[in-house]
Amino acid sequence: EAGVTQFPSHSVIEKGQTVTLRCDPISGHDNLYWYRRVMGKEIKFLLHFVKESKQDESGMPNNRFLAERTGGTYSTLKVQPAELEDSGVYFCASSQVAVGELFFGEGSRLTVL
Amino acid sequence: AQSVTQLGSHVSVSEGALVLLRCNYSSSVPPYLFWYVQYPNQGLQLLLKYTTGATLVKGINGFEAEFKKSETSFHLTKPSAHMSDAAEYFCAVSRRSGGSNYKLTFGKGTLLTVNP
């Protein structure tokens, strides 16, 4: 069974540009989460989807970040326009039940120059 | 609000020695507690979790952790370190925050180095 896959693994962009990160959860997992780790700091929650609905987006930094989950399958996280402080590793995770094990992808490293 | 403190951003042990990674949490309600591990160039993998019941929890690869409510701790241990244990370890706490959301609050991570 395929795990959580994220694309791209690494993206380098200039300040002001747009980047879209994609996450494909494990098939059948209704819960999808986005987390972010800025260098040297803890991994922080961004938002949670249940199927295609946003259950909790309290961790989204600001309105430059837009997350979608099409048809309850894959999800995208768009940053527009990107700022220097957006650099970090963006993790996606999925789970079948709410308190079950979260399965994480390898992360998408974003570098904003 | 919840928080997690991992004591020691970097722990170094010799192969065969005891591994002890410390985690203290703060939570206003009974927590769910987790340890995740991240090997180089991989995603986070669940080592073990405590939800309810027995306070000593056994996980994969010989790791275990004990939930101590009085000390608000959930330290991770392994009797004998192996070279393959070298990785970054994250302690996390979760509580229900609305609907079916059990979002995780992570500690800053502890990088474990195992010396031959």
Side-chain angles (χ1 to χ4, degrees):
Chain A
E1 179 183 353
V4 176
T5 56
Q6 293 187 242
F7 181 83
S9 58
H10 192 187
S11 180
V12 181
I13 62 173
E14 294 191 352
K15 176 182 173 181
Q17 291 186 320
T18 297
V19 64
T20 299
L21 310 178
R22 173 172 169 142
C23 169
D24 287 81
I26 293 173
S27 177
H29 282 194
D30 289 340
N31 293 280
L32 186 149
Y33 300 80
W34 283 97
Y35 287 83
R36 178 176 74 170
R37 189 183 193 192
V38 173
M39 185 176 292
K41 299 198 172 181
E42 61 269 30
I43 301 169
K44 287 197 170 180
F45 168 84
L46 294 179
L47 86 160
H48 170 217
F49 284 99
V50 177
K51 297 185 180 179
E52 67 276 7
S53 299
K54 292 177 185 175
Q55 187 75 20
D56 180 351
E57 52 184 330
S58 61
M60 295 288 265
N62 50 60
N63 59 11
R64 296 185 293 102
F65 289 75
L66 176 63
E68 295 179 323
R69 189 178 183 190
T70 306
T73 56
Y74 71 92
S75 175
T76 58
L77 180 64
K78 179 190 285 188
V79 184
Q80 179 182 29
E83 298 289 345
L84 299 179
E85 63 264 26
D86 300 333
S87 295
V89 180
Y90 291 77
F91 291 101
C92 176
S94 70
S95 72
Q96 195 166 23
V97 294
V99 195
E101 175 179 352
L102 262 63
F103 293 84
F104 281 81
E106 294 183 5
S108 290
R109 181 176 297 276
L110 173 64
T111 302
V112 183
L113 303 176
Chain B
Q2 300 175 107
S3 66
V4 176
T5 301
Q6 290 185 240
L7 297 176
S9 60
H10 189 187
V11 171
S12 183
V13 301
S14 298
E15 191 173 20
L18 170 72
V19 175
L20 170 60
L21 304 183
R22 300 178 186 272
C23 172
N24 288 88
Y25 69 90
S26 171
S27 178
S28 58
V29 297
Y32 298 131
L33 295 161
F34 306 81
W35 276 99
Y36 280 84
V37 60
Q38 185 180 22
Y39 299 104
N41 301 315
Q42 296 186 28
L44 279 75
Q45 178 182 359
L46 181 68
L47 267 181
L48 48 79
K49 64 181 179 183
Y50 168 78
T51 53
T52 59
T55 56
L56 181 61
V57 181
K58 295 187 184 297
I60 61 172
N61 301 336
F63 284 93
E64 63 182 34
E66 186 171 10
F67 169 56
K68 292 188 176 180
K69 184 178 179 180
S70 61
E71 299 178 6
T72 60
S73 69
F74 192 56
H75 301 331
L76 181 71
T77 61
K78 181 174 180 178
S80 177
H82 191 272
M83 296 294 290
S84 61
D85 295 326
E88 191 162 19
Y89 293 78
F90 298 90
C91 181
V93 62
S94 169
R95 67 172 175 83
R96 191 168 183 172
S97 61
S100 61
N101 184 9
Y102 290 85
K103 65 186 179 185
L104 297 174
T105 298
F106 284 90
K108 290 187 176 182
T110 298
L111 183 64
L112 176 66
T113 302
V114 182
N115 303 308

